[in-house]
Amino acid sequence: MHADIVDLREFYHSPLGHLAEHSITMALASIWARLPEERLVGLGYAVPYLDRFREDTERTFAFMPAGQGAVNWPLGEASATALVFDEELPLPDSSIDRVLMVHSLEFAENPRETMKELWRVLAPGGRLIIVVPNRRGVWARMEHTPFGSGRPYSRSQLTHLLRETNFTPGASAEALLFPPSKHRAVHKLRSAFERLGRRLWPMFSGVLVVEAQKRLYQGLPVAARASRRVFVPVLAPSGVPSTRTTLKLRPLDNPTQRR
């Protein structure tokens, strides 16, 4: 079951959420410095981290699972958000250079199928970063943060999943090495906890941050899959006749066509 979009937004607007965002952003920056002229997709609830990268990218999309809900992003600009089913992304084959998964894999109904779909849309040599709760970390055991929901992973479990779906694990980092406490005294010591944690207890970090690259020298079996979800846009509440003029919809431009 996905975390709710309202709960995610509230967490990242809280003092603890701001500290968590900073810690994860620093871990991401140690792996991806800049993404010049590349296409980036954030899958799950990655919007707190996409602003760091999108200035350099050719374009950036925020894909949010239907079970979670979606919000407009970026604020005050044309929306780059799409509500999706993570096993059937609305993208052509080999059309994306990078994928950032946050609050995503731990909620996937079928993680293997989700990863195979990401392999399909990534370009040759494309890379992804997965941010996932650590099974050994205390954050995965606390329900007052979104990292305490869904299925946490150990590093070996994540490595096995990546290799099974034709990805080669690469660089990694740890984040959230401070306790998930709401007390201000703990917040003031966050930097000290992070420094000590990287030296003394990195295996107990709150999240694992792992990069992987699309592997091309092995093939994946191709099989037709019937969608297990049908999305119907709701323009008016059910049973309420609409008195407005009928809307005429036209096909959208291909969002992946380069300018």
Side-chain angles (χ1 to χ4, degrees), residues 27-248:
L28 293 173
S30 69
I31 301 175
W32 286 354
R34 296 177 64 250
L35 308 179
E37 298 302 313
E38 294 191 286
R39 294 175 178 176
L40 171 66
V41 164
L43 181 60
Y45 189 73
V47 293
Y49 311 100
L50 292 179
D51 284 324
R52 174 181 178 83
F53 299 112
R54 78 183 190 100
E55 291 184 0
D56 297 325
T57 61
E58 184 209 339
R59 62 188 66 189
T60 301
F61 304 105
F63 283 4
M64 303 187 188
Q68 166 193 289
V71 293
N72 181 56
W73 178 86
L75 295 176
E77 302 180 30
S79 180
T81 299
L83 198 66
V84 302
F85 179 36
D86 55 8
E87 294 180 23
E88 294 183 6
L89 299 178
L91 293 169
D93 296 352
S94 303
S95 56
I96 295 298
D97 301 302
R98 307 276 181 133
V99 174
L100 174 60
M101 300 179 70
V102 186
H103 302 298
S104 175
L105 186 64
E106 63 267 35
F107 299 112
E109 292 185 16
N110 191 329
R112 188 172 185 273
E113 291 296 321
T114 297
M115 296 305 299
K116 286 169 63 177
E117 179 68 356
L118 292 176
W119 190 96
R120 181 187 69 82
V121 302
L122 275 169
R127 296 177 181 270
L128 63 82
I129 284 183
I130 301 174
V131 179
V132 69
N134 182 7
R135 287 178 63 89
R136 294 181 175 181
V138 67
W139 286 73
R141 294 168 171 77
M142 299 296 178
E143 297 183 353
H144 63 278
T145 83
F147 301 100
S149 302
R151 177 190 175 187
Y153 283 79
S154 67
R155 189 175 296 277
S156 61
Q157 288 175 325
L158 192 56
T159 299
H160 177 75
L161 176 63
L162 288 168
R163 289 176 176 168
E164 184 184 29
T165 52
N166 271 5
F167 285 95
T168 301
S172 64
E174 294 81 23
L176 304 185
L177 291 146
F178 62 97
S181 172
K182 296 182 179 180
H183 295 292
R184 292 185 178 180
V186 175
H187 293 178
K188 292 179 180 179
L189 296 173
R190 191 264 308 177
S191 297
F193 275 116
E194 290 278 294
R195 288 194 300 269
L196 287 174
R198 288 190 175 88
R199 295 179 180 178
L200 303 179
W201 57 83
M203 65 181 67
F204 299 111
S205 62
V207 296
L208 303 173
V209 183
V210 177
E211 184 194 38
Q213 185 174 22
K214 178 177 178 176
R215 190 167 61 197
L216 294 175
Y217 55 82
Q218 279 183 304
L220 287 175
V222 177
R225 293 179 296 167
S227 175
R228 293 179 293 169
R229 296 290 186 274
V230 177
F231 300 126
V232 178
V234 178
L235 302 181
S238 299
V240 179
S242 177
T243 58
R244 297 179 181 272
T245 305
T246 302
L247 294 175
K248 294 183 179 180

